[in-house]
């Protein structure tokens, strides 16, 4: 096979950006064998294509400039049995043009691609075609005018990077097999699997400069990584917790308000450390900076984000999942605790730990921090020994899938050493760096996992003494006593368990027997493999993952095997208030899946998250963004300042009622507001009515086919429970619109929701699902509408009024008062509709304030003519007024008072009076 030709073609500067990343390699890397690295000693400040060829391939028959200096062509690369020079020359050109690592990967891997393809790689457009007879033809289009700006980097850095490049280019004699050449010096360490050179360099600086020397990474030489600053940060952040619903930065600013600049600087550097390795689909580079820079602005001293940190933000190592956002507070909490422990060590101890990867691992793991912190510190400190994986569950599955590569005497003893040995053996076998999130390795371990909607979390009460708990942890089990119950089989269902409990525990109260039935059934049948399990003893939390099924022991106990994720428990004081409450209120086996996401994020075992590169997802939009609010105002013809206040109200209170007379646009505004806050597929609309019930709204039994022509009843989720399920697995806002909320019997419909609307950090047991905990996630919003013509809000009970924020939309008050005129725009001055509406509402007594008429009746397409207005008056407005004034006015009196003729006359008088007043002014 022959690689046909590689073309480098400059394109106009305006069509592309700069190179994808400007990585700064590790110092001290030697040039590879046969490396033309000395050629770089004469690199000028800028180089055109002729100079690139002269530097990389002087007098070479394989490299030439064509098209009047606009194209470099490299031919005969890696030809079977051919010379090696074209390989080195290609590497030289790629390095000099500052090509991203992903471009090298494409050149190497596209040999297996049949047909033609094109892909954008940052500042490069890569086109290639392959045919078994013709070989590979590759065209690379890039902006060479920007390349010249990179020549300011030190020559030693370019040489170091080129030295690694030579080891990554495919040798001709291996072209048929596909592996790359591994430098012999890397035979005993791991080759980092990700294109994150700058992240690794900066990450190691955190260890050497921060942990070791105690100096700031943002302000060189400034001593902020020390016991004094950490203790101050611990006091302001860890001890001064803020459980309000405000945004993270708002709470953090309050916590650090009286802290010193050193403490704020240390916090900013910790936040940068957390954000730096996240891939773009998890957090965009600009969003990473947006997290850190506000903290720097709170300082009295002006400190800017260093350029090397910004460059590291452009790369990515792993996808942090939703926990990278929702658990940021916990990551920082644990990081401060870790630093407190670190700076309590004596300097010689710290120096000893920091010099050895396995000593570093033992100390880091012993701190008990969440895995997204501890696993990150392992990789950033020693990427040649630890994998770029923060999902501990994935690490265990990888070891299980490749354990056949380990000697029997060490397999399963030490997870990190096992993975180190496995990866080394695979490197030697395949001759390349090993990425377990890419084929063929991914297919070996990434078996099907239960969807997050099916996975559950369970609380199991702890044993009576510490010794038995130690036995649980050592043996990897959980147990509950069931001595009176008798043996169970895999076929034992809830009905059978209930009968066994009734027989064996008949001396207990009915409620106790029901609770035991639920507990035994949950432990024996409902718990499934891969579910999370938690227990609490002495304010310490232990979490694990269930393995295979339950067993009935000779001592009359039910047991299950558990893979405990740490030999160190987690202190309850470091958890959110809602999770602490949920764990502390449970006294028996209970489903706590309401906290599954938070528990998964603490452990780093989010089932829907992998570190594999994924397509970048669009960043969430800020609903208070001025441009977005302006667009919403223009679409709705409502005042922008009023809309801003309404959006803020919804974000703050999460439960808002839009109330007012008919025709004021409440439902339309609710829908537009919901889609302004989130995506359309995250919005659910329901309409209440007098027959609407709890079973319709939350959950209830519905008829369903039961086989052989019979009908049974199945517990079915209503719109609220379905929306909550989606919100738990999706960090976007989820909005429930309740139209005509006051038409239903709210106490009967809402049920337990009354409690949850006021206490979102708590959970309840639903009447049809008493074995489960249920709560409202923070990303669930409720926007309700109420037509005051049907029922005044004055008739609502105090419980509802206390739980919702109310915003009136009245025809005689802003912004609804001006809606019709704004909608008509320039035509408003000659259109009679605003004056007619104003006159009609003036004719309605003030005692009927809740029955004034809204403008939407006159904003229809057929209202643009006199005939259309007369039709609306006759068929819409007068019947409405007749019903409202029934018993107080006869039909003829209604028509005489509110008929179109009478209102036209009043509107004409009103209009003349307004004109005369304006003229006199």
């Amino acid at each position: 096979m022959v690689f046909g030709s590689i073309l480098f073609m400059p394109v106009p500067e305006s069509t592309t950006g700069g190179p994808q990343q400007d990585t700064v390699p590790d110092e001290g890397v030697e040039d590879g064998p046969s490396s033309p690295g000395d050629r770089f000693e004469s690199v000028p400040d800028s180089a055109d294509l002729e100079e690139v060829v002269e530097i990389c391939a002087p007098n070479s028959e394989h490299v030439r400039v064509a098209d009047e200096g606009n194209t470099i062509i490299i031919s005969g690369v890696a030809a079977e049995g051919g010379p090696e020079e074209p390989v080195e020359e290609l590497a030289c050109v790629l390095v000099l043009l500052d090509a991203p690592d992903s471009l090298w990967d494409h050149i190497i891997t596209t040999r297996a691609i049949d047909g033609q393809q094109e892909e954008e790689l940052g500042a490069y457009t890569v086109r290639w075609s392959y045919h078994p007879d013709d070989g590979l033809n590759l065209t690379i289009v890039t902006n060479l005018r920007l390349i010249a700006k990179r020549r300011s980097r030190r020559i030693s850095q370019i040489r170091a990077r080129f030295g690694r490049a030579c080891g990554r280019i495919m040798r001709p004699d291996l072209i048929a097999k596909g592996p790359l050449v591994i430098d012999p010096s890397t035979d005993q360490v791991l080759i980092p699997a990700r294109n994150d050179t700058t992240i690794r360099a900066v990450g190691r600086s955190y260890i050497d400069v921060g942990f070791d020397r105690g100096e700031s990474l943002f302000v060189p030489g400034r001593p902020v990584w020390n016991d004094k600053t950490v203790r101050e940060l611990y006091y302001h952040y860890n001890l001064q917790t803020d459980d309000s619903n405000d945004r993270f930065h708002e709470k953090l600013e309050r916590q650090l308000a009286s802290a010193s600049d050193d403490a704020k600087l240390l916090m900013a550097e910790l936040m940068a450390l957390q954000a730096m390795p996240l891939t773009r689909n998890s957090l965009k580079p600009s969003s990473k900076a947006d997290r850190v820079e506000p903290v720097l602005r709170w300082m009295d001293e002006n400190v800017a984000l260093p350029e090397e940190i910004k460059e590291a933000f452009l790369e990515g190592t792993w996808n942090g999942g939703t926990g990278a956002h929702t658990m940021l507070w916990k990551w920082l909490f644990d990081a401060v605790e870790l630093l407190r422990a670190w700076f309590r060590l004596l300097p010689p101890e710290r120096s000893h730990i920091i010099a050895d990867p396995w000593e570093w691992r033992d100390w880091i793991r012993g701190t008990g921090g969440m895995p997204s912190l501890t696993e990150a510190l392992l990789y950033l400190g020693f990427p040649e020994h630890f994998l770029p994986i923060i999902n501990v569950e994935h690490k265990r599955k990888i070891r299980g899938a490749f354990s056949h590569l380990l000697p029997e005497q060490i397999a399963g003893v030490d997870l990190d050493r096992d993975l180190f040995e496995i990866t080394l053996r695979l490197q030697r076998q395949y001759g390349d760096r090993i990425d377990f999130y890419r084929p063929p390795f991914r297919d070996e371990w990434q078996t099907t996992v239960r969807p997050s909607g099916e996975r559950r979390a369970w609380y199991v009460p702890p044993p009576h003494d510490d010794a038995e708990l130690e036995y649980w942890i050592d043996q990897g089990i959980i147990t509950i006593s069931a001595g009176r119950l008798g043996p169970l089989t895999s076929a034992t269902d809830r009905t059978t368990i209930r009968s066994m409990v009734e027989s064996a525990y008949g001396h207990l109260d009915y409620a106790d027997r029901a609770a035991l039935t639920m507990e035994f059934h949950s432990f024996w049948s409902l718990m499934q493999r891969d579910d999370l399990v938690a227990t609490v003893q002495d304010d310490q939390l232990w979490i694990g993952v269930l393995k295979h099924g339950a067993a009935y022991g000779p001592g009359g106990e039910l047991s299950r095997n558990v893979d405990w994720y740490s030999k160190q428990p987690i202190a309850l004081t470091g958890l959110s208030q809602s999770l602490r409450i949920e764990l502390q209120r449970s006294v028996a086996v209970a489903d706590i899946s309401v906290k599954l996401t938070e528990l998964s994020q603490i452990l780093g075992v989010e089932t829907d998250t992998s570190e594999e590169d994924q397509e970048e997802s669009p960043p969430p939009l800020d609903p208070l963004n001025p441009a977005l609010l302006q667009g919403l105002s223009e679409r709705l013809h409502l005042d922008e300042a009023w809309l801003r206040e309404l959006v803020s109200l919804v974000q703050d209170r999460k439960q808002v009622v839009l109330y007012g007379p008919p025709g004021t646009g409440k439902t339309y505004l609710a829908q537009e507001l919901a889609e302004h806050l989130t995506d359309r597929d995250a919005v659910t609309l329901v309409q209440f009515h007098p027959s609407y019930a709890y079973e319709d709204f939350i959950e209830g039994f519905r008829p369903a086919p039961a086989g052989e022509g019979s009908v049974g009843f199945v517990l079915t989720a209503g719109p609220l429970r379905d929306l909550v399920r989606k919100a738990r697995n999706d960090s976007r806002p989820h909005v429930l619109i309740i139209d005509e909320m006051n038409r239903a019997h709210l106490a009967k419909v809402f049920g337990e929701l009354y409690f949850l609307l006021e206490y979102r950090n708590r959970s309840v047991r639903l009447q049809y699902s008493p074995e489960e905990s249920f709560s409202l996630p923070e990303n669930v919003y409720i926007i309700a509408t109420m037509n005051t013509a049907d029922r005044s809000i004055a008739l609502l009970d105090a419980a509802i009024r206390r739980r919702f924020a109310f915003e009136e939309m009245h025809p005689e008050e802003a912004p609804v008062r001006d809606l019709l005129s704004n909608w008509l725009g320039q035509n408003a001055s000659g259109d009679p509709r605003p004056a007619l509406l104003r006159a009609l509402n003036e004719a309605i007594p003030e005692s009927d304030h809740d029955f004034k008429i809204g403008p939407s009746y006159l904003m229809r397409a057929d209202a643009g003519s006199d005939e259309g207005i007369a039709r609306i008056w006759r068929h819409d407005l007068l019947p409405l007024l007749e019903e409202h004034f029934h018993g107080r006015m006869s039909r003829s009196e209604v028509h005489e008072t509110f008929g179109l003729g009478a209102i036209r006359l009043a509107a004409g008088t009103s209009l003349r009076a307004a004109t005369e007043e304006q003229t006199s002014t």
Side-chain angles (χ1 to χ4, degrees), residues 448-456 526-531 607-608:
T448 301
V449 179
R450 292 168 63 200
S452 58
E454 297 178 9
R455 196 179 198 184
R456 291 184 177 183
L526 297 183
M527 290 184 178
Q528 298 292 323
R529 184 187 181 99
D530 291 329
D531 284 352
T607 56
D608 294 333

PDB file of all heavy atoms in Angstrom, residues 448-456 526-531 607-608:
ATOM      1  N   THR A 448     -23.705  -3.764  28.472  1.00  0.00           N
ATOM      2  CA  THR A 448     -24.953  -3.029  28.643  1.00  0.00           C
ATOM      3  C   THR A 448     -25.231  -2.781  30.126  1.00  0.00           C
ATOM      4  O   THR A 448     -25.165  -3.695  30.946  1.00  0.00           O
ATOM      5  CB  THR A 448     -26.127  -3.809  28.034  1.00  0.00           C
ATOM      6  OG1 THR A 448     -25.855  -4.022  26.651  1.00  0.00           O
ATOM      7  CG2 THR A 448     -27.424  -3.028  28.181  1.00  0.00           C
ATOM      8  N   VAL A 449     -25.521  -1.533  30.452  1.00  0.00           N
ATOM      9  CA  VAL A 449     -25.849  -1.146  31.824  1.00  0.00           C
ATOM     10  C   VAL A 449     -27.313  -0.732  31.878  1.00  0.00           C
ATOM     11  O   VAL A 449     -27.842  -0.149  30.933  1.00  0.00           O
ATOM     12  CB  VAL A 449     -24.946   0.020  32.290  1.00  0.00           C
ATOM     13  CG1 VAL A 449     -25.307   0.447  33.698  1.00  0.00           C
ATOM     14  CG2 VAL A 449     -23.493  -0.388  32.208  1.00  0.00           C
ATOM     15  N   ARG A 450     -27.973  -1.044  32.961  1.00  0.00           N
ATOM     16  CA  ARG A 450     -29.368  -0.624  33.091  1.00  0.00           C
ATOM     17  C   ARG A 450     -29.479   0.879  32.931  1.00  0.00           C
ATOM     18  O   ARG A 450     -28.673   1.631  33.467  1.00  0.00           O
ATOM     19  CB  ARG A 450     -29.896  -1.028  34.464  1.00  0.00           C
ATOM     20  CG  ARG A 450     -30.042  -2.522  34.653  1.00  0.00           C
ATOM     21  CD  ARG A 450     -30.273  -2.846  36.099  1.00  0.00           C
ATOM     22  NE  ARG A 450     -31.513  -2.263  36.586  1.00  0.00           N
ATOM     23  CZ  ARG A 450     -31.761  -2.064  37.865  1.00  0.00           C
ATOM     24  NH1 ARG A 450     -30.873  -2.365  38.775  1.00  0.00           N
ATOM     25  NH2 ARG A 450     -32.911  -1.542  38.235  1.00  0.00           N
ATOM     26  N   PRO A 451     -30.471   1.339  32.170  1.00  0.00           N
ATOM     27  CA  PRO A 451     -30.644   2.786  32.006  1.00  0.00           C
ATOM     28  C   PRO A 451     -30.797   3.461  33.351  1.00  0.00           C
ATOM     29  O   PRO A 451     -31.286   2.877  34.321  1.00  0.00           O
ATOM     30  CB  PRO A 451     -31.938   2.897  31.171  1.00  0.00           C
ATOM     31  CG  PRO A 451     -32.075   1.567  30.502  1.00  0.00           C
ATOM     32  CD  PRO A 451     -31.477   0.561  31.445  1.00  0.00           C
ATOM     33  N   SER A 452     -30.368   4.734  33.400  1.00  0.00           N
ATOM     34  CA  SER A 452     -30.430   5.451  34.665  1.00  0.00           C
ATOM     35  C   SER A 452     -31.851   5.564  35.188  1.00  0.00           C
ATOM     36  O   SER A 452     -32.073   5.699  36.380  1.00  0.00           O
ATOM     37  CB  SER A 452     -29.813   6.841  34.505  1.00  0.00           C
ATOM     38  OG  SER A 452     -30.492   7.560  33.498  1.00  0.00           O
ATOM     39  N   GLY A 453     -32.849   5.511  34.287  1.00  0.00           N
ATOM     40  CA  GLY A 453     -34.229   5.555  34.739  1.00  0.00           C
ATOM     41  C   GLY A 453     -34.655   4.295  35.464  1.00  0.00           C
ATOM     42  O   GLY A 453     -35.641   4.281  36.184  1.00  0.00           O
ATOM     43  N   GLU A 454     -33.902   3.163  35.271  1.00  0.00           N
ATOM     44  CA  GLU A 454     -34.235   1.913  35.924  1.00  0.00           C
ATOM     45  C   GLU A 454     -33.343   1.646  37.130  1.00  0.00           C
ATOM     46  O   GLU A 454     -33.721   0.915  38.036  1.00  0.00           O
ATOM     47  CB  GLU A 454     -34.090   0.755  34.929  1.00  0.00           C
ATOM     48  CG  GLU A 454     -35.041   0.835  33.751  1.00  0.00           C
ATOM     49  CD  GLU A 454     -34.824  -0.305  32.779  1.00  0.00           C
ATOM     50  OE1 GLU A 454     -34.057  -1.239  33.118  1.00  0.00           O
ATOM     51  OE2 GLU A 454     -35.393  -0.266  31.679  1.00  0.00           O
ATOM     52  N   ARG A 455     -32.151   2.174  37.132  1.00  0.00           N
ATOM     53  CA  ARG A 455     -31.240   1.952  38.260  1.00  0.00           C
ATOM     54  C   ARG A 455     -31.803   2.641  39.505  1.00  0.00           C
ATOM     55  O   ARG A 455     -32.375   3.716  39.431  1.00  0.00           O
ATOM     56  CB  ARG A 455     -29.869   2.535  37.921  1.00  0.00           C
ATOM     57  CG  ARG A 455     -28.763   2.047  38.827  1.00  0.00           C
ATOM     58  CD  ARG A 455     -27.432   2.644  38.414  1.00  0.00           C
ATOM     59  NE  ARG A 455     -26.322   1.891  38.972  1.00  0.00           N
ATOM     60  CZ  ARG A 455     -25.050   2.232  38.832  1.00  0.00           C
ATOM     61  NH1 ARG A 455     -24.739   3.312  38.154  1.00  0.00           N
ATOM     62  NH2 ARG A 455     -24.102   1.493  39.351  1.00  0.00           N
ATOM     63  N   ARG A 456     -31.599   2.005  40.649  1.00  0.00           N
ATOM     64  CA  ARG A 456     -32.150   2.554  41.886  1.00  0.00           C
ATOM     65  C   ARG A 456     -31.045   2.708  42.933  1.00  0.00           C
ATOM     66  O   ARG A 456     -29.945   2.179  42.792  1.00  0.00           O
ATOM     67  CB  ARG A 456     -33.239   1.635  42.453  1.00  0.00           C
ATOM     68  CG  ARG A 456     -34.516   1.578  41.619  1.00  0.00           C
ATOM     69  CD  ARG A 456     -35.558   0.717  42.309  1.00  0.00           C
ATOM     70  NE  ARG A 456     -36.827   0.698  41.585  1.00  0.00           N
ATOM     71  CZ  ARG A 456     -37.918   0.072  42.015  1.00  0.00           C
ATOM     72  NH1 ARG A 456     -37.905  -0.576  43.177  1.00  0.00           N
ATOM     73  NH2 ARG A 456     -39.031   0.098  41.320  1.00  0.00           N
ATOM     74  N   LEU A 526     -36.789  -6.521  44.742  1.00  0.00           N
ATOM     75  CA  LEU A 526     -36.706  -5.254  44.019  1.00  0.00           C
ATOM     76  C   LEU A 526     -35.280  -4.796  43.790  1.00  0.00           C
ATOM     77  O   LEU A 526     -34.978  -4.180  42.754  1.00  0.00           O
ATOM     78  CB  LEU A 526     -37.487  -4.167  44.765  1.00  0.00           C
ATOM     79  CG  LEU A 526     -38.992  -4.403  44.913  1.00  0.00           C
ATOM     80  CD1 LEU A 526     -39.647  -3.212  45.602  1.00  0.00           C
ATOM     81  CD2 LEU A 526     -39.644  -4.658  43.559  1.00  0.00           C
ATOM     82  N   MET A 527     -34.389  -5.049  44.741  1.00  0.00           N
ATOM     83  CA  MET A 527     -32.990  -4.689  44.532  1.00  0.00           C
ATOM     84  C   MET A 527     -32.427  -5.494  43.357  1.00  0.00           C
ATOM     85  O   MET A 527     -32.691  -6.687  43.222  1.00  0.00           O
ATOM     86  CB  MET A 527     -32.163  -4.975  45.791  1.00  0.00           C
ATOM     87  CG  MET A 527     -32.445  -4.047  46.954  1.00  0.00           C
ATOM     88  SD  MET A 527     -31.320  -4.429  48.335  1.00  0.00           S
ATOM     89  CE  MET A 527     -31.820  -3.180  49.513  1.00  0.00           C
ATOM     90  N   GLN A 528     -31.633  -4.803  42.522  1.00  0.00           N
ATOM     91  CA  GLN A 528     -31.087  -5.440  41.329  1.00  0.00           C
ATOM     92  C   GLN A 528     -29.594  -5.173  41.228  1.00  0.00           C
ATOM     93  O   GLN A 528     -29.065  -4.238  41.836  1.00  0.00           O
ATOM     94  CB  GLN A 528     -31.794  -4.905  40.071  1.00  0.00           C
ATOM     95  CG  GLN A 528     -33.278  -5.188  40.010  1.00  0.00           C
ATOM     96  CD  GLN A 528     -33.581  -6.668  39.825  1.00  0.00           C
ATOM     97  OE1 GLN A 528     -32.867  -7.362  39.110  1.00  0.00           O
ATOM     98  NE2 GLN A 528     -34.641  -7.149  40.473  1.00  0.00           N
ATOM     99  N   ARG A 529     -28.933  -5.989  40.442  1.00  0.00           N
ATOM    100  CA  ARG A 529     -27.510  -5.790  40.179  1.00  0.00           C
ATOM    101  C   ARG A 529     -27.283  -4.378  39.638  1.00  0.00           C
ATOM    102  O   ARG A 529     -28.088  -3.872  38.856  1.00  0.00           O
ATOM    103  CB  ARG A 529     -27.032  -6.821  39.161  1.00  0.00           C
ATOM    104  CG  ARG A 529     -25.535  -6.775  38.875  1.00  0.00           C
ATOM    105  CD  ARG A 529     -25.199  -7.711  37.723  1.00  0.00           C
ATOM    106  NE  ARG A 529     -23.777  -7.706  37.454  1.00  0.00           N
ATOM    107  CZ  ARG A 529     -22.926  -8.625  37.893  1.00  0.00           C
ATOM    108  NH1 ARG A 529     -23.378  -9.640  38.607  1.00  0.00           N
ATOM    109  NH2 ARG A 529     -21.643  -8.555  37.613  1.00  0.00           N
ATOM    110  N   ASP A 530     -26.194  -3.732  40.072  1.00  0.00           N
ATOM    111  CA  ASP A 530     -25.784  -2.378  39.679  1.00  0.00           C
ATOM    112  C   ASP A 530     -26.527  -1.276  40.428  1.00  0.00           C
ATOM    113  O   ASP A 530     -26.223  -0.098  40.255  1.00  0.00           O
ATOM    114  CB  ASP A 530     -25.924  -2.128  38.169  1.00  0.00           C
ATOM    115  CG  ASP A 530     -24.924  -2.923  37.349  1.00  0.00           C
ATOM    116  OD1 ASP A 530     -23.810  -3.163  37.869  1.00  0.00           O
ATOM    117  OD2 ASP A 530     -25.244  -3.305  36.210  1.00  0.00           O
ATOM    118  N   ASP A 531     -27.531  -1.623  41.270  1.00  0.00           N
ATOM    119  CA  ASP A 531     -28.151  -0.602  42.113  1.00  0.00           C
ATOM    120  C   ASP A 531     -27.132  -0.100  43.148  1.00  0.00           C
ATOM    121  O   ASP A 531     -26.244  -0.856  43.571  1.00  0.00           O
ATOM    122  CB  ASP A 531     -29.374  -1.159  42.845  1.00  0.00           C
ATOM    123  CG  ASP A 531     -30.585  -1.285  41.939  1.00  0.00           C
ATOM    124  OD1 ASP A 531     -30.517  -0.812  40.800  1.00  0.00           O
ATOM    125  OD2 ASP A 531     -31.595  -1.862  42.388  1.00  0.00           O
ATOM    126  N   THR A 607     -24.105   6.532  35.328  1.00  0.00           N
ATOM    127  CA  THR A 607     -24.233   5.497  34.314  1.00  0.00           C
ATOM    128  C   THR A 607     -24.290   6.058  32.909  1.00  0.00           C
ATOM    129  O   THR A 607     -23.964   5.376  31.957  1.00  0.00           O
ATOM    130  CB  THR A 607     -25.515   4.674  34.547  1.00  0.00           C
ATOM    131  OG1 THR A 607     -26.641   5.570  34.577  1.00  0.00           O
ATOM    132  CG2 THR A 607     -25.437   3.941  35.856  1.00  0.00           C
ATOM    133  N   ASP A 608     -24.718   7.291  32.746  1.00  0.00           N
ATOM    134  CA  ASP A 608     -24.845   7.856  31.416  1.00  0.00           C
ATOM    135  C   ASP A 608     -23.612   8.629  30.992  1.00  0.00           C
ATOM    136  O   ASP A 608     -23.634   9.291  29.961  1.00  0.00           O
ATOM    137  CB  ASP A 608     -26.058   8.801  31.347  1.00  0.00           C
ATOM    138  CG  ASP A 608     -27.353   8.049  31.516  1.00  0.00           C
ATOM    139  OD1 ASP A 608     -27.392   6.856  31.183  1.00  0.00           O
ATOM    140  OD2 ASP A 608     -28.306   8.665  31.980  1.00  0.00           O
TER     141      ASP A 608
END
